[in-house]
Amino acid sequence: MGTRKKGAEFIKHITDIIKNSSGFEKHLEKVKITSGGEGKCTAEFIVSTEHLNRLGGLHGGFTATLVDMVTTYALMSKPCHPGVSVNINVNYLKAAKAGDEVLIDASLLRAGKKLAFLECELRQKKDNSIIAKGSHTKFVDFQ
């Protein structure tokens, strides 16, 4: 039960950050954080017109933003500074269209004294196929 409460508190904390943001994080207002804790964060959203590129697919820049932010939330679920990005890599494997439900799963692989390494997958909810895979390295040594 303790872990579940941590998860619920984590979800509320991240949801409040997004909701109360007046900056770039505001772009995630339609993304729902569904679980988190112990170096993990999951989220989901429905692709809407504001998420699309000119060809009608999920915009690559928005996908990269999701990798950036949701991995950062996974990192924040551990006792670790959220850090600053050193490297983000995204492999785009399949398009998502308006109306598609997308699942996001981010995990902390390792947090050292200076760097944290994270990974993320975006999947179609309907068939679990991979839309994109991302990796994120963050500098975390802020003493």
Side-chain angles (χ1 to χ4, degrees):
M1 181 124 157
T3 303
R4 186 175 189 149
K5 186 173 182 186
K6 273 188 186 176
E9 288 173 7
F10 175 78
I11 291 168
K12 181 176 179 352
H13 176 69
I14 299 302
T15 301
D16 287 346
I17 288 172
I18 294 167
K19 180 181 166 188
N20 297 322
S21 174
S22 60
F24 192 76
E25 219 150 7
K26 197 76 167 162
H27 292 287
L28 300 183
E29 65 187 352
K30 292 188 177 179
V31 176
K32 179 182 176 188
I33 304 301
T34 55
S35 71
E38 298 304 313
K40 298 194 178 297
C41 183
T42 61
E44 61 184 45
F45 75 104
I46 297 173
V47 179
S48 63
T49 55
E50 70 214 48
H51 304 133
L52 301 178
N53 60 28
R54 287 187 199 182
L55 299 175
L58 180 61
H59 195 284
F62 187 67
T63 301
T65 296
L66 291 167
V67 170
D68 180 0
M69 300 308 294
V70 180
T71 57
T72 298
Y73 301 149
L75 180 61
M76 289 169 63
S77 76
K78 294 293 267 184
C80 188
H81 190 284
V84 294
S85 298
V86 173
N87 184 54
I88 297 176
N89 182 64
V90 181
N91 292 309
Y92 301 92
L93 303 169
K94 181 180 180 180
K97 304 288 185 191
D100 287 352
E101 293 179 81
V102 177
L103 305 175
I104 308 162
D105 188 11
S107 299
L108 172 64
L109 300 174
R110 181 178 186 280
K113 292 180 182 177
K114 306 255 184 222
L115 297 174
F117 302 89
L118 303 112
E119 66 182 4
C120 185
E121 285 187 352
L122 281 74
R123 294 181 173 269
Q124 288 276 5
K125 188 171 187 176
K126 64 184 172 197
D127 63 7
N128 211 32
S129 60
I130 300 173
I131 297 166
K133 289 182 79 131
S135 61
H136 192 185
T137 305
K138 297 199 84 170
F139 178 77
V140 294
D141 185 26
F142 292 88
Q143 298 175 0

